[in-house]
mmCIF file of all heavy atoms in Angstrom:
data_model
loop_
_atom_site.group_PDB
_atom_site.id
_atom_site.type_symbol
_atom_site.label_atom_id
_atom_site.label_comp_id
_atom_site.label_asym_id
_atom_site.label_seq_id
_atom_site.Cartn_x
_atom_site.Cartn_y
_atom_site.Cartn_z
ATOM 1 N N ILE A 226 14.032 -3.411 -9.371
ATOM 2 C CA ILE A 226 12.637 -3.675 -8.980
ATOM 3 C C ILE A 226 12.602 -4.716 -7.864
ATOM 4 O O ILE A 226 11.865 -4.579 -6.877
ATOM 5 C CB ILE A 226 11.809 -4.140 -10.194
ATOM 6 C CG1 ILE A 226 11.586 -2.980 -11.160
ATOM 7 C CG2 ILE A 226 10.460 -4.711 -9.733
ATOM 8 C CD1 ILE A 226 10.914 -3.386 -12.465
ATOM 9 N N ALA A 227 13.417 -5.772 -8.024
ATOM 10 C CA ALA A 227 13.449 -6.821 -6.997
ATOM 11 C C ALA A 227 13.956 -6.275 -5.663
ATOM 12 O O ALA A 227 13.422 -6.623 -4.595
ATOM 13 C CB ALA A 227 14.337 -7.971 -7.477
ATOM 14 N N VAL A 228 14.962 -5.423 -5.709
ATOM 15 C CA VAL A 228 15.495 -4.822 -4.477
ATOM 16 C C VAL A 228 14.436 -3.948 -3.809
ATOM 17 O O VAL A 228 14.223 -4.019 -2.580
ATOM 18 C CB VAL A 228 16.763 -3.998 -4.783
ATOM 19 C CG1 VAL A 228 17.175 -3.178 -3.563
ATOM 20 C CG2 VAL A 228 17.905 -4.913 -5.212
ATOM 21 N N ALA A 229 13.757 -3.110 -4.615
ATOM 22 C CA ALA A 229 12.725 -2.234 -4.068
ATOM 23 C C ALA A 229 11.590 -3.045 -3.457
ATOM 24 O O ALA A 229 11.082 -2.718 -2.370
ATOM 25 C CB ALA A 229 12.190 -1.315 -5.167
ATOM 26 N N GLN A 230 11.198 -4.117 -4.139
ATOM 27 C CA GLN A 230 10.116 -4.961 -3.623
ATOM 28 C C GLN A 230 10.517 -5.602 -2.299
ATOM 29 O O GLN A 230 9.709 -5.680 -1.354
ATOM 30 C CB GLN A 230 9.766 -6.037 -4.647
ATOM 31 C CG GLN A 230 8.623 -6.940 -4.256
ATOM 32 C CD GLN A 230 7.304 -6.214 -4.190
ATOM 33 O OE1 GLN A 230 7.057 -5.467 -3.225
ATOM 34 N NE2 GLN A 230 6.468 -6.409 -5.197
ATOM 35 N N SER A 231 11.773 -6.045 -2.202
ATOM 36 C CA SER A 231 12.246 -6.664 -0.960
ATOM 37 C C SER A 231 12.221 -5.662 0.193
ATOM 38 O O SER A 231 11.781 -5.987 1.318
ATOM 39 C CB SER A 231 13.665 -7.198 -1.167
ATOM 40 O OG SER A 231 14.178 -7.724 0.029
ATOM 41 N N LEU A 232 12.641 -4.433 -0.070
ATOM 42 C CA LEU A 232 12.651 -3.406 0.970
ATOM 43 C C LEU A 232 11.231 -3.085 1.430
ATOM 44 O O LEU A 232 10.954 -2.944 2.629
ATOM 45 C CB LEU A 232 13.340 -2.141 0.455
ATOM 46 C CG LEU A 232 14.853 -2.246 0.226
ATOM 47 C CD1 LEU A 232 15.365 -0.985 -0.460
ATOM 48 C CD2 LEU A 232 15.573 -2.461 1.558
ATOM 49 N N VAL A 233 10.317 -2.940 0.472
ATOM 50 C CA VAL A 233 8.931 -2.613 0.817
ATOM 51 C C VAL A 233 8.313 -3.720 1.663
ATOM 52 O O VAL A 233 7.619 -3.469 2.656
ATOM 53 C CB VAL A 233 8.108 -2.370 -0.467
ATOM 54 C CG1 VAL A 233 6.601 -2.325 -0.150
ATOM 55 C CG2 VAL A 233 8.536 -1.074 -1.136
ATOM 56 N N ARG A 234 8.568 -4.975 1.288
ATOM 57 C CA ARG A 234 8.005 -6.090 2.039
ATOM 58 C C ARG A 234 8.563 -6.138 3.466
ATOM 59 O O ARG A 234 7.838 -6.480 4.414
ATOM 60 C CB ARG A 234 8.287 -7.402 1.303
ATOM 61 C CG ARG A 234 7.399 -7.585 0.069
ATOM 62 C CD ARG A 234 7.810 -8.775 -0.768
ATOM 63 N NE ARG A 234 6.936 -8.921 -1.927
ATOM 64 C CZ ARG A 234 7.209 -9.693 -2.964
ATOM 65 N NH1 ARG A 234 8.347 -10.401 -2.997
ATOM 66 N NH2 ARG A 234 6.363 -9.776 -3.975
ATOM 67 N N ASN A 235 9.825 -5.807 3.615
ATOM 68 C CA ASN A 235 10.409 -5.775 4.958
ATOM 69 C C ASN A 235 9.759 -4.690 5.815
ATOM 70 O O ASN A 235 9.517 -4.893 7.020
ATOM 71 C CB ASN A 235 11.920 -5.532 4.876
ATOM 72 C CG ASN A 235 12.675 -6.754 4.416
ATOM 73 O OD1 ASN A 235 12.195 -7.874 4.554
ATOM 74 N ND2 ASN A 235 13.864 -6.548 3.863
ATOM 75 N N VAL A 236 9.466 -3.545 5.184
ATOM 76 C CA VAL A 236 8.793 -2.468 5.919
ATOM 77 C C VAL A 236 7.395 -2.905 6.312
ATOM 78 O O VAL A 236 6.952 -2.696 7.464
ATOM 79 C CB VAL A 236 8.756 -1.178 5.080
ATOM 80 C CG1 VAL A 236 7.856 -0.129 5.744
ATOM 81 C CG2 VAL A 236 10.156 -0.624 4.867
ATOM 82 N N VAL A 237 6.658 -3.529 5.364
ATOM 83 C CA VAL A 237 5.286 -3.977 5.639
ATOM 84 C C VAL A 237 5.278 -5.011 6.766
ATOM 85 O O VAL A 237 4.360 -5.036 7.589
ATOM 86 C CB VAL A 237 4.657 -4.550 4.347
ATOM 87 C CG1 VAL A 237 3.321 -5.242 4.657
ATOM 88 C CG2 VAL A 237 4.461 -3.440 3.321
ATOM 89 N N ARG A 238 6.296 -5.858 6.840
ATOM 90 C CA ARG A 238 6.368 -6.879 7.879
ATOM 91 C C ARG A 238 6.780 -6.316 9.232
ATOM 92 O O ARG A 238 6.832 -7.038 10.231
ATOM 93 C CB ARG A 238 7.347 -7.974 7.459
ATOM 94 C CG ARG A 238 6.828 -8.834 6.310
ATOM 95 C CD ARG A 238 7.929 -9.708 5.739
ATOM 96 N NE ARG A 238 7.458 -10.469 4.594
ATOM 97 C CZ ARG A 238 8.251 -10.987 3.649
ATOM 98 N NH1 ARG A 238 9.569 -10.817 3.761
ATOM 99 N NH2 ARG A 238 7.741 -11.667 2.655
ATOM 100 N N GLY A 239 7.075 -5.026 9.257
ATOM 101 C CA GLY A 239 7.372 -4.386 10.535
ATOM 102 C C GLY A 239 8.828 -4.397 10.931
ATOM 103 O O GLY A 239 9.169 -4.024 12.063
ATOM 104 N N TYR A 240 9.721 -4.810 10.033
ATOM 105 C CA TYR A 240 11.136 -4.873 10.379
ATOM 106 C C TYR A 240 11.730 -3.479 10.597
ATOM 107 O O TYR A 240 12.777 -3.341 11.270
ATOM 108 C CB TYR A 240 11.936 -5.586 9.287
ATOM 109 C CG TYR A 240 11.570 -7.043 9.123
ATOM 110 C CD1 TYR A 240 11.647 -7.664 7.889
ATOM 111 C CD2 TYR A 240 11.155 -7.807 10.212
ATOM 112 C CE1 TYR A 240 11.320 -8.993 7.724
ATOM 113 C CE2 TYR A 240 10.825 -9.138 10.070
ATOM 114 C CZ TYR A 240 10.905 -9.738 8.827
ATOM 115 O OH TYR A 240 10.580 -11.055 8.671
ATOM 116 N N ALA A 241 11.072 -2.461 10.085
ATOM 117 C CA ALA A 241 11.571 -1.082 10.264
ATOM 118 C C ALA A 241 10.780 -0.346 11.348
ATOM 119 O O ALA A 241 10.949 0.856 11.521
ATOM 120 C CB ALA A 241 11.487 -0.315 8.939
ATOM 121 N N GLY A 242 9.941 -1.065 12.059
ATOM 122 C CA GLY A 242 9.131 -0.446 13.093
ATOM 123 C C GLY A 242 7.655 -0.520 12.753
ATOM 124 O O GLY A 242 7.269 -0.859 11.635
ATOM 125 N N PRO A 243 6.789 -0.224 13.732
ATOM 126 C CA PRO A 243 5.344 -0.318 13.501
ATOM 127 C C PRO A 243 4.866 0.743 12.499
ATOM 128 O O PRO A 243 5.445 1.820 12.373
ATOM 129 C CB PRO A 243 4.752 -0.073 14.901
ATOM 130 C CG PRO A 243 5.815 0.678 15.627
ATOM 131 C CD PRO A 243 7.119 0.201 15.097
ATOM 132 N N LEU A 244 3.782 0.384 11.751
ATOM 133 C CA LEU A 244 3.204 1.286 10.763
ATOM 134 C C LEU A 244 1.776 1.623 11.152
ATOM 135 O O LEU A 244 1.061 0.814 11.756
ATOM 136 C CB LEU A 244 3.197 0.627 9.370
ATOM 137 C CG LEU A 244 4.545 0.254 8.753
ATOM 138 C CD1 LEU A 244 4.319 -0.499 7.452
ATOM 139 C CD2 LEU A 244 5.393 1.494 8.502
ATOM 140 N N THR A 245 1.362 2.794 10.784
ATOM 141 C CA THR A 245 -0.049 3.158 10.952
ATOM 142 C C THR A 245 -0.837 2.488 9.838
ATOM 143 O O THR A 245 -0.278 1.982 8.851
ATOM 144 C CB THR A 245 -0.227 4.686 10.859
ATOM 145 O OG1 THR A 245 0.113 5.108 9.526
ATOM 146 C CG2 THR A 245 0.656 5.406 11.862
ATOM 147 N N GLU A 246 -2.163 2.477 9.973
ATOM 148 C CA GLU A 246 -3.008 1.872 8.944
ATOM 149 C C GLU A 246 -2.825 2.584 7.600
ATOM 150 O O GLU A 246 -2.830 1.960 6.547
ATOM 151 C CB GLU A 246 -4.470 1.914 9.392
ATOM 152 C CG GLU A 246 -4.794 0.970 10.543
ATOM 153 C CD GLU A 246 -4.441 -0.463 10.212
ATOM 154 O OE1 GLU A 246 -4.733 -0.919 9.074
ATOM 155 O OE2 GLU A 246 -3.863 -1.136 11.071
ATOM 156 N N THR A 247 -2.681 3.917 7.682
ATOM 157 C CA THR A 247 -2.480 4.685 6.435
ATOM 158 C C THR A 247 -1.166 4.291 5.771
ATOM 159 O O THR A 247 -1.100 4.114 4.544
ATOM 160 C CB THR A 247 -2.471 6.192 6.730
ATOM 161 O OG1 THR A 247 -3.722 6.553 7.328
ATOM 162 C CG2 THR A 247 -2.263 6.989 5.462
ATOM 163 N N GLN A 248 -0.115 4.130 6.578
ATOM 164 C CA GLN A 248 1.179 3.735 6.024
ATOM 165 C C GLN A 248 1.123 2.318 5.449
ATOM 166 O O GLN A 248 1.703 2.043 4.387
ATOM 167 C CB GLN A 248 2.248 3.822 7.118
ATOM 168 C CG GLN A 248 2.598 5.240 7.512
ATOM 169 C CD GLN A 248 3.515 5.295 8.730
ATOM 170 O OE1 GLN A 248 3.455 4.409 9.602
ATOM 171 N NE2 GLN A 248 4.334 6.336 8.793
ATOM 172 N N LYS A 249 0.424 1.420 6.148
ATOM 173 C CA LYS A 249 0.290 0.055 5.635
ATOM 174 C C LYS A 249 -0.401 0.046 4.278
ATOM 175 O O LYS A 249 0.000 -0.672 3.356
ATOM 176 C CB LYS A 249 -0.485 -0.811 6.623
ATOM 177 C CG LYS A 249 0.280 -1.163 7.885
ATOM 178 C CD LYS A 249 -0.576 -2.029 8.802
ATOM 179 C CE LYS A 249 0.171 -2.374 10.088
ATOM 180 N NZ LYS A 249 -0.660 -3.181 10.997
ATOM 181 N N ASP A 250 -1.457 0.850 4.156
ATOM 182 C CA ASP A 250 -2.184 0.931 2.893
ATOM 183 C C ASP A 250 -1.291 1.486 1.780
ATOM 184 O O ASP A 250 -1.288 0.982 0.653
ATOM 185 C CB ASP A 250 -3.427 1.813 3.069
ATOM 186 C CG ASP A 250 -4.230 1.922 1.780
ATOM 187 O OD1 ASP A 250 -4.742 0.888 1.313
ATOM 188 O OD2 ASP A 250 -4.320 3.043 1.225
ATOM 189 N N LEU A 251 -0.508 2.513 2.113
ATOM 190 C CA LEU A 251 0.381 3.128 1.123
ATOM 191 C C LEU A 251 1.432 2.133 0.642
ATOM 192 O O LEU A 251 1.661 1.987 -0.567
ATOM 193 C CB LEU A 251 1.059 4.354 1.744
ATOM 194 C CG LEU A 251 2.088 5.076 0.854
ATOM 195 C CD1 LEU A 251 1.439 5.595 -0.418
ATOM 196 C CD2 LEU A 251 2.744 6.219 1.634
ATOM 197 N N PHE A 252 2.065 1.417 1.591
ATOM 198 C CA PHE A 252 3.090 0.450 1.196
ATOM 199 C C PHE A 252 2.496 -0.749 0.458
ATOM 200 O O PHE A 252 3.150 -1.344 -0.404
ATOM 201 C CB PHE A 252 3.875 -0.006 2.431
ATOM 202 C CG PHE A 252 4.977 0.941 2.810
ATOM 203 C CD1 PHE A 252 4.835 1.834 3.868
ATOM 204 C CD2 PHE A 252 6.174 0.951 2.102
ATOM 205 C CE1 PHE A 252 5.854 2.710 4.206
ATOM 206 C CE2 PHE A 252 7.195 1.821 2.453
ATOM 207 C CZ PHE A 252 7.036 2.713 3.502
#
């Protein structure tokens, strides 16, 4: 759970590239 949460937060912070508003809401 901790690993998954860390990955999701990195995606939300844009470390994996920009997100659309829909993707931000989903994450």
Side-chain angles (χ1 to χ4, degrees):
I226 289 173
V228 170
Q230 182 67 284
S231 176
L232 291 172
V233 168
R234 285 172 180 166
N235 285 337
V236 171
V237 170
R238 290 168 183 158
Y240 295 148
L244 298 175
T245 65
E246 290 303 317
T247 301
Q248 289 172 330
K249 288 180 181 178
D250 180 64
L251 177 61
F252 277 102

